[in-house]
Amino acid sequence: MSSQVRGGTRWKRFALVMVPSVVATAAVGVGLAQGALAASFSVSGQSFKVRTDKLVGHDFIQYGSVATGKDLKGDDAAHAVAVSGFSDATITNMCQSVVTPNLPFGLGNVTLVLKAGTDPEKPVEATNLYLDISELDADAYFEHIDIGVAAGDVGKPGIQEGTEKKVNPNGFSQRAKTATLTNVKQTAWATTAGTFKLSNLSLRLHSGVKECY
């Protein structure tokens, strides 16, 4: 499966937005944990891929929503997403990649690849984690699962704060006490977390399309 690569991106925008992404992620995590930032935001015009060996999360919930923002041309865009939420989660051997297309000066496509949690003894750790997913492939194991719960009655961690108007409270959702996903491959539009601890962090830029899967 290939990433959606659309439109053009100026080099200055790439340099200012993509390269400092790890610092921005850390800052957002701290802000959310302290209640300083709203969780709702306009998504970028680029989806991204995430691969991980294993994700173990507690208080799993999943419901339908809409991610809104702009495409790479600056036009309004909206994407139907399945939101997966966890009170807390650990992620082993995580790889995240995003392709920025059509850079000038003959650079063409450039892929940003972020890896973390490569040591099974030091996985990535997250709290109040929400994933806006458009595609997911994995082996899944749930404990104490309820399927067909009204989204407004899903329980903790609850519908993500700031996105309530994008969710039908009477719509379909599901929940489980524990969710274990292995061999995960997903395409997403957004990830938010109260805290996000990335052990053994590695960030690299690659010429061309070199995604996590």
Side-chain angles (χ1 to χ4, degrees), residues 42-105:
S42 177
V43 299
S44 76
Q46 296 170 264
S47 61
F48 54 94
K49 289 185 175 181
V50 179
R51 176 188 55 76
T52 181
D53 289 349
K54 188 175 184 179
L55 183 153
V56 179
H58 298 105
D59 301 322
F60 164 78
I61 60 172
Q62 189 172 70
Y63 56 88
S65 186
V66 179
T68 57
K70 302 287 186 178
D71 62 20
L72 290 181
K73 296 180 180 179
D75 297 326
D76 290 339
H79 315 279
V81 294
V83 179
S84 296
F86 305 88
S87 291
D88 61 82
T90 57
I91 306 169
T92 303
N93 195 22
M94 183 186 77
C95 176
Q96 176 179 304
S97 61
V98 60
V99 178
T100 298
N102 306 325
L103 292 175
F105 311 116

Coordinates of all heavy atoms in Angstrom, one line a residue, residues 42-105:
S42 N -6.4 21.3 13.4 CA -6.5 21.1 11.9 C -5.5 20.1 11.5 O -4.3 20.4 11.7 CB -6.5 22.4 11.2 OG -6.5 22.2 9.8
V43 N -5.9 19.0 10.9 CA -4.9 18.0 10.4 C -4.2 18.5 9.2 O -4.7 19.3 8.4 CB -5.5 16.6 10.2 CG1 -6.1 16.1 11.5 CG2 -6.5 16.7 9.1
S44 N -3.0 18.0 9.0 CA -2.2 18.4 7.8 C -2.7 17.7 6.6 O -3.6 16.8 6.6 CB -0.7 18.0 8.0 OG -0.5 16.6 7.8
G45 N -2.2 18.1 5.4 CA -2.6 17.4 4.2 C -1.9 16.2 3.9 O -1.9 15.7 2.7
Q46 N -1.2 15.6 4.8 CA -0.4 14.4 4.6 C -0.8 13.3 5.7 O -0.7 13.6 6.8 CB 1.1 14.7 4.6 CG 1.6 15.6 3.6 CD 3.0 16.0 3.8 OE1 3.2 17.1 4.4 NE2 3.9 15.2 3.4
S47 N -1.2 12.2 5.2 CA -1.4 11.0 6.1 C 0.0 10.4 6.4 O 1.0 10.8 5.7 CB -2.3 10.0 5.6 OG -1.8 9.5 4.4
F48 N 0.1 9.6 7.4 CA 1.4 9.0 7.7 C 1.2 7.5 8.1 O 0.1 7.1 8.4 CB 2.2 9.7 8.8 CG 1.4 9.9 10.1 CD1 1.5 9.0 11.1 CD2 0.5 11.0 10.2 CE1 0.8 9.1 12.3 CE2 -0.2 11.1 11.4 CZ -0.1 10.2 12.4
K49 N 2.3 6.8 8.0 CA 2.2 5.3 8.3 C 3.0 5.0 9.6 O 4.0 5.7 9.9 CB 2.9 4.5 7.1 CG 2.0 4.5 5.9 CD 2.7 3.6 4.8 CE 1.8 3.4 3.6 NZ 2.4 2.5 2.6
V50 N 2.4 4.1 10.3 CA 3.0 3.6 11.5 C 3.1 2.1 11.5 O 2.1 1.4 11.3 CB 2.3 4.1 12.8 CG1 2.9 3.6 14.1 CG2 2.2 5.6 12.8
R51 N 4.2 1.5 11.8 CA 4.4 0.1 12.0 C 5.0 -0.1 13.4 O 5.9 0.6 13.9 CB 5.3 -0.5 10.9 CG 5.6 -2.0 11.1 CD 6.7 -2.5 10.2 NE 7.9 -1.7 10.3 CZ 8.8 -1.8 11.2 NH1 8.6 -2.7 12.3 NH2 9.9 -1.1 11.2
T52 N 4.4 -1.2 14.1 CA 5.0 -1.5 15.4 C 4.8 -3.0 15.6 O 3.9 -3.7 15.1 CB 4.3 -0.8 16.5 OG1 4.8 -1.1 17.8 CG2 2.8 -1.1 16.5
D53 N 5.8 -3.6 16.4 CA 5.7 -5.0 16.7 C 4.5 -5.3 17.6 O 3.8 -6.3 17.5 CB 7.0 -5.5 17.3 CG 8.1 -5.5 16.3 OD1 7.9 -5.4 15.1 OD2 9.3 -5.7 16.7
K54 N 4.3 -4.4 18.6 CA 3.3 -4.7 19.6 C 2.8 -3.4 20.3 O 3.6 -2.6 20.6 CB 3.9 -5.7 20.7 CG 2.9 -6.2 21.7 CD 3.5 -7.2 22.6 CE 2.5 -7.8 23.5 NZ 3.2 -8.8 24.4
L55 N 1.5 -3.3 20.5 CA 0.9 -2.3 21.2 C 0.0 -2.9 22.3 O -0.9 -3.7 21.9 CB 0.1 -1.3 20.3 CG -0.5 -0.1 21.0 CD1 -0.7 1.1 20.0 CD2 -1.9 -0.4 21.7
V56 N 0.2 -2.5 23.5 CA -0.6 -3.0 24.6 C -1.3 -1.8 25.3 O -0.6 -0.9 25.8 CB 0.2 -3.8 25.7 CG1 -0.8 -4.2 26.8 CG2 0.8 -5.0 25.0
G57 N -2.6 -1.7 25.2 CA -3.3 -0.5 25.7 C -4.4 -0.9 26.7 O -5.0 -1.9 26.6
H58 N -4.6 0.0 27.7 CA -5.7 -0.2 28.6 C -6.8 0.8 28.4 O -6.6 1.9 27.9 CB -5.2 0.0 30.1 CG -4.1 -1.0 30.4 ND1 -2.8 -0.7 30.4 CD2 -4.2 -2.4 30.7 CE1 -2.1 -1.8 30.8 NE2 -2.9 -2.8 30.9
D59 N -8.1 0.3 28.7 CA -9.3 1.1 28.5 C -9.4 1.5 27.1 O -9.5 2.7 26.7 CB -9.3 2.4 29.4 CG -9.2 2.0 30.9 OD1 -9.8 1.0 31.3 OD2 -8.5 2.7 31.6
F60 N -9.4 0.5 26.2 CA -9.5 0.7 24.8 C -10.9 1.2 24.4 O -11.9 0.6 24.9 CB -9.1 -0.6 24.0 CG -9.6 -0.6 22.6 CD1 -8.9 0.1 21.6 CD2 -10.7 -1.3 22.2 CE1 -9.3 0.0 20.3 CE2 -11.1 -1.4 20.9 CZ -10.4 -0.7 19.9
I61 N -11.0 2.2 23.6 CA -12.3 2.6 23.0 C -12.1 2.9 21.5 O -10.9 3.2 21.1 CB -12.9 3.9 23.7 CG1 -11.9 5.1 23.5 CG2 -13.2 3.6 25.1 CD1 -12.5 6.4 24.0
Q62 N -13.1 2.7 20.7 CA -13.0 3.0 19.3 C -14.4 3.5 18.8 O -15.4 2.9 19.1 CB -12.6 1.8 18.5 CG -12.3 2.1 17.0 CD -11.6 0.9 16.3 OE1 -12.3 -0.1 16.1 NE2 -10.4 1.0 16.0
Y63 N -14.4 4.6 18.0 CA -15.6 5.2 17.5 C -15.3 6.0 16.2 O -14.1 6.2 15.9 CB -16.2 6.2 18.6 CG -15.3 7.3 19.0 CD1 -15.2 8.5 18.3 CD2 -14.5 7.1 20.1 CE1 -14.3 9.5 18.8 CE2 -13.6 8.1 20.6 CZ -13.5 9.3 19.9 OH -12.7 10.3 20.3
G64 N -16.3 6.3 15.5 CA -16.1 7.1 14.2 C -16.1 8.5 14.4 O -16.8 9.1 15.3
S65 N -15.3 9.2 13.6 CA -15.2 10.7 13.7 C -14.7 11.2 12.4 O -14.6 10.5 11.4 CB -14.2 11.1 14.8 OG -14.2 12.5 15.0
V66 N -14.5 12.5 12.3 CA -14.0 13.2 11.1 C -12.8 14.0 11.4 O -12.8 14.8 12.4 CB -15.1 14.1 10.5 CG1 -14.6 14.7 9.2 CG2 -16.3 13.2 10.1
A67 N -11.7 13.8 10.7 CA -10.5 14.7 10.8 C -10.6 15.8 9.7 O -10.7 15.4 8.5 CB -9.2 13.9 10.7
T68 N -10.5 17.0 10.1 CA -10.6 18.1 9.2 C -9.4 18.9 9.1 O -8.6 19.0 10.1 CB -11.8 19.0 9.5 OG1 -11.7 19.5 10.9 CG2 -13.1 18.2 9.5
G69 N -9.1 19.5 8.0 CA -8.0 20.4 7.8 C -7.9 20.9 6.4 O -8.9 21.2 5.7
K70 N -6.6 21.0 5.9 CA -6.4 21.4 4.5 C -5.6 20.4 3.8 O -4.8 19.6 4.4 CB -5.6 22.7 4.5 CG -6.2 23.9 5.3 CD -7.4 24.5 4.5 CE -7.9 25.7 5.2 NZ -9.0 26.3 4.5
D71 N -5.7 20.3 2.5 CA -4.8 19.5 1.7 C -3.6 20.3 1.4 O -3.4 21.4 1.8 CB -5.5 19.0 0.4 CG -5.9 20.1 -0.5 OD1 -5.4 21.2 -0.4 OD2 -6.8 19.8 -1.4
L72 N -2.6 19.7 0.6 CA -1.4 20.4 0.4 C -1.5 21.6 -0.5 O -0.6 22.4 -0.6 CB -0.3 19.4 -0.2 CG 0.2 18.3 0.7 CD1 1.2 17.4 0.0 CD2 0.8 18.9 2.0
K73 N -2.6 21.7 -1.2 CA -2.9 22.9 -2.0 C -3.5 24.0 -1.2 O -3.8 25.1 -1.7 CB -3.7 22.6 -3.2 CG -3.0 21.6 -4.2 CD -3.9 21.3 -5.3 CE -3.3 20.3 -6.3 NZ -4.1 20.0 -7.5
G74 N -3.9 23.7 0.1 CA -4.5 24.7 0.9 C -6.1 24.7 0.9 O -6.7 25.5 1.5
D75 N -6.6 23.7 0.2 CA -8.1 23.6 0.1 C -8.6 22.8 1.3 O -7.9 22.0 1.9 CB -8.5 22.9 -1.2 CG -8.1 23.7 -2.5 OD1 -8.1 24.9 -2.4 OD2 -7.7 23.0 -3.5
D76 N -9.9 23.1 1.7 CA -10.5 22.4 2.8 C -10.5 20.9 2.5 O -10.8 20.5 1.4 CB -11.9 22.9 3.0 CG -11.9 24.3 3.6 OD1 -10.9 24.7 4.2 OD2 -12.9 25.0 3.5
A77 N -10.3 20.1 3.5 CA -10.3 18.7 3.4 C -10.9 18.0 4.6 O -10.7 18.5 5.7 CB -8.9 18.1 3.1
A78 N -11.6 16.9 4.4 CA -12.1 16.1 5.6 C -11.9 14.7 5.3 O -12.0 14.2 4.2 CB -13.6 16.5 5.7
H79 N -11.6 13.9 6.4 CA -11.3 12.5 6.3 C -12.1 11.7 7.3 O -12.0 12.1 8.5 CB -9.8 12.2 6.4 CG -9.0 13.2 5.7 ND1 -8.7 13.0 4.4 CD2 -8.3 14.3 6.1 CE1 -7.9 14.0 3.9 NE2 -7.7 14.8 5.0
A80 N -12.9 10.7 6.9 CA -13.5 9.8 7.9 C -12.4 9.0 8.6 O -11.5 8.4 7.9 CB -14.5 8.9 7.2
V81 N -12.5 8.9 9.9 CA -11.5 8.2 10.6 C -12.1 7.3 11.7 O -13.2 7.6 12.2 CB -10.4 9.1 11.3 CG1 -9.6 9.8 10.3 CG2 -11.1 10.1 12.2
A82 N -11.5 6.2 12.0 CA -11.8 5.4 13.2 C -10.8 5.9 14.3 O -9.6 5.7 14.2 CB -11.7 4.0 12.9
V83 N -11.4 6.4 15.4 CA -10.5 6.9 16.5 C -10.4 5.8 17.5 O -11.3 5.3 18.0 CB -11.2 8.1 17.2 CG1 -10.3 8.6 18.3 CG2 -11.4 9.3 16.2
S84 N -9.1 5.4 17.8 CA -8.8 4.5 18.8 C -8.2 5.2 20.0 O -7.2 6.0 19.8 CB -7.8 3.4 18.3 OG -8.4 2.6 17.3
G85 N -8.8 5.0 21.2 CA -8.3 5.7 22.4 C -7.8 4.7 23.4 O -8.4 3.6 23.6
F86 N -6.9 5.1 24.2 CA -6.3 4.3 25.3 C -6.0 5.2 26.5 O -5.5 6.3 26.3 CB -5.1 3.6 24.9 CG -5.2 2.7 23.7 CD1 -4.9 3.3 22.5 CD2 -5.5 1.4 23.8 CE1 -5.0 2.5 21.3 CE2 -5.6 0.6 22.7 CZ -5.3 1.2 21.4
S87 N -6.3 4.8 27.7 CA -5.9 5.5 28.9 C -4.4 5.5 29.0 O -3.8 6.6 29.4 CB -6.5 4.9 30.2 OG -7.9 5.2 30.2
D88 N -3.8 4.4 28.7 CA -2.3 4.3 28.6 C -1.9 3.2 27.7 O -2.7 2.3 27.5 CB -1.7 4.1 30.0 CG -2.2 2.8 30.7 OD1 -1.6 1.8 30.4 OD2 -3.1 2.9 31.5
A89 N -0.7 3.2 27.1 CA -0.3 2.2 26.2 C 1.2 2.2 26.2 O 1.9 3.1 26.4 CB -0.8 2.5 24.8
T90 N 1.7 1.0 25.8 CA 3.1 0.8 25.5 C 3.3 0.3 24.1 O 2.4 -0.5 23.7 CB 3.8 -0.2 26.5 OG1 3.1 -1.5 26.5 CG2 3.8 0.3 27.9
I91 N 4.3 0.7 23.4 CA 4.4 0.4 22.0 C 5.9 0.0 21.8 O 6.8 0.7 22.1 CB 4.2 1.7 21.1 CG1 2.8 2.2 21.4 CG2 4.3 1.3 19.6 CD1 2.5 3.6 20.8
T92 N 6.0 -1.2 21.2 CA 7.4 -1.8 21.1 C 7.8 -1.7 19.6 O 7.0 -2.1 18.7 CB 7.4 -3.3 21.5 OG1 7.0 -3.4 22.9 CG2 8.8 -3.9 21.4
N93 N 9.0 -1.2 19.4 CA 9.6 -1.1 18.0 C 8.7 -0.4 17.1 O 8.2 -0.9 16.1 CB 9.9 -2.5 17.5 CG 10.8 -2.5 16.3 OD1 11.6 -1.5 16.1 ND2 10.8 -3.5 15.5
M94 N 8.5 0.9 17.3 CA 7.7 1.8 16.5 C 8.4 2.4 15.4 O 9.5 2.9 15.6 CB 7.0 2.8 17.4 CG 6.0 3.7 16.7 SD 5.4 5.1 17.7 CE 6.8 6.2 17.6
C95 N 7.8 2.4 14.2 CA 8.4 3.2 13.1 C 7.3 4.0 12.5 O 6.2 3.6 12.3 CB 8.9 2.2 12.0 SG 9.5 3.0 10.5
Q96 N 7.5 5.3 12.3 CA 6.6 6.3 11.8 C 7.2 6.9 10.6 O 8.4 7.4 10.6 CB 6.2 7.3 12.8 CG 5.2 8.4 12.2 CD 4.8 9.4 13.3 OE1 4.3 9.1 14.3 NE2 5.1 10.7 13.0
S97 N 6.5 7.0 9.4 CA 7.1 7.6 8.2 C 6.0 8.5 7.6 O 4.8 8.2 7.6 CB 7.6 6.5 7.3 OG 6.5 5.7 6.8
V98 N 6.5 9.6 7.0 CA 5.7 10.5 6.2 C 6.5 11.0 5.0 O 7.7 11.3 5.1 CB 5.1 11.7 7.0 CG1 6.3 12.5 7.6 CG2 4.2 12.5 6.2
V99 N 5.8 11.0 3.8 CA 6.5 11.4 2.6 C 6.1 12.8 2.2 O 4.9 13.1 2.1 CB 6.1 10.4 1.4 CG1 6.8 10.9 0.1 CG2 6.5 9.0 1.8
T100 N 7.1 13.7 2.1 CA 6.8 15.0 1.5 C 7.2 15.0 0.1 O 8.3 14.8 -0.3 CB 7.6 16.1 2.3 OG1 7.2 16.0 3.7 CG2 7.3 17.4 1.7
P101 N 6.2 15.3 -0.8 CA 6.4 15.1 -2.2 C 6.9 16.4 -2.9 O 6.7 17.5 -2.5 CB 5.0 14.7 -2.8 CG 4.1 15.5 -1.9 CD 4.7 15.5 -0.5
N102 N 7.5 16.1 -4.1 CA 7.8 17.2 -5.1 C 8.5 18.4 -4.5 O 8.1 19.5 -4.8 CB 6.4 17.6 -5.7 CG 5.6 16.5 -6.3 OD1 6.2 15.5 -6.8 ND2 4.3 16.5 -6.2
L103 N 9.6 18.1 -3.8 CA 10.4 19.3 -3.3 C 11.2 19.9 -4.5 O 11.6 19.2 -5.4 CB 11.3 18.8 -2.2 CG 10.7 18.4 -0.9 CD1 11.7 17.8 0.1 CD2 9.9 19.5 -0.3
P104 N 11.4 21.2 -4.4 CA 12.2 21.9 -5.5 C 13.7 21.6 -5.4 O 14.1 20.8 -4.6 CB 11.9 23.3 -5.2 CG 11.6 23.4 -3.8 CD 10.9 22.1 -3.4
F105 N 14.4 22.2 -6.3 CA 15.9 22.1 -6.3 C 16.3 20.6 -6.7 O 17.4 20.2 -6.3 CB 16.6 22.5 -5.0 CG 16.1 23.8 -4.5 CD1 15.4 23.9 -3.3 CD2 16.4 25.0 -5.2 CE1 15.0 25.1 -2.8 CE2 15.9 26.2 -4.7 CZ 15.3 26.3 -3.5

